[in-house]
Amino acid sequence: MADGRKTGGRTKGTPNKVTADVRAMAGQYGPEILERLAWLALNGESHAVQVAAGKEILDRAYGKAKQVTEIEGGPTPVYQVVIN
C-alpha cells in the first residue's frame, strides 16, 4: 500500500450498522429522558442534581463548552483548547 489508499473495510461515509441500531433504540427514549432531566433541573433534591441535569440539557441544546487551559513554564503562556 505504497500510495496510502485504504483497502478493505466499509466505504468511507457508510455508517456502522451496530452504532446505527443502538442510536435508533436509544432515540426512542429521548423525549421522555429529556423531560425527566428538565424535571430534575428544576426540582432535583440537591443543587448538585439540579446543576448536573441542567448541564446535560444545555450540552445537548448548544454543544459542550470549550475548556481553555493555560500552560505555564515558557516565556509566553500557551493556551490549549479542549473540546469534549
Side-chain angles (χ1 to χ4, degrees), residues 5-28:
R5 286 187 289 173
K6 178 181 172 186
T7 60
R10 291 189 316 271
T11 306
K12 185 176 181 178
T14 303
N16 179 319
K17 185 178 182 336
V18 173
T19 302
D21 291 345
V22 170
R23 281 184 175 215
M25 290 186 325
Q28 70 185 359

Side-chain angles (χ1 to χ4, degrees), residues 34-81:
L34 186 57
E35 285 180 25
R36 179 68 175 160
L37 280 171
W39 187 89
L40 286 170
L42 299 174
N43 306 298
E45 55 193 54
S46 70
H47 288 294
V49 169
Q50 293 172 358
V51 169
K55 182 181 179 305
E56 290 298 324
I57 292 169
L58 293 175
D59 285 352
R60 281 152 182 75
Y62 299 106
K64 292 188 177 186
K66 295 178 183 176
Q67 295 179 342
V68 178
T69 306
E70 182 178 342
I71 302 171
E72 297 180 14
T76 306
V78 176
Y79 295 94
Q80 178 182 18
V81 176

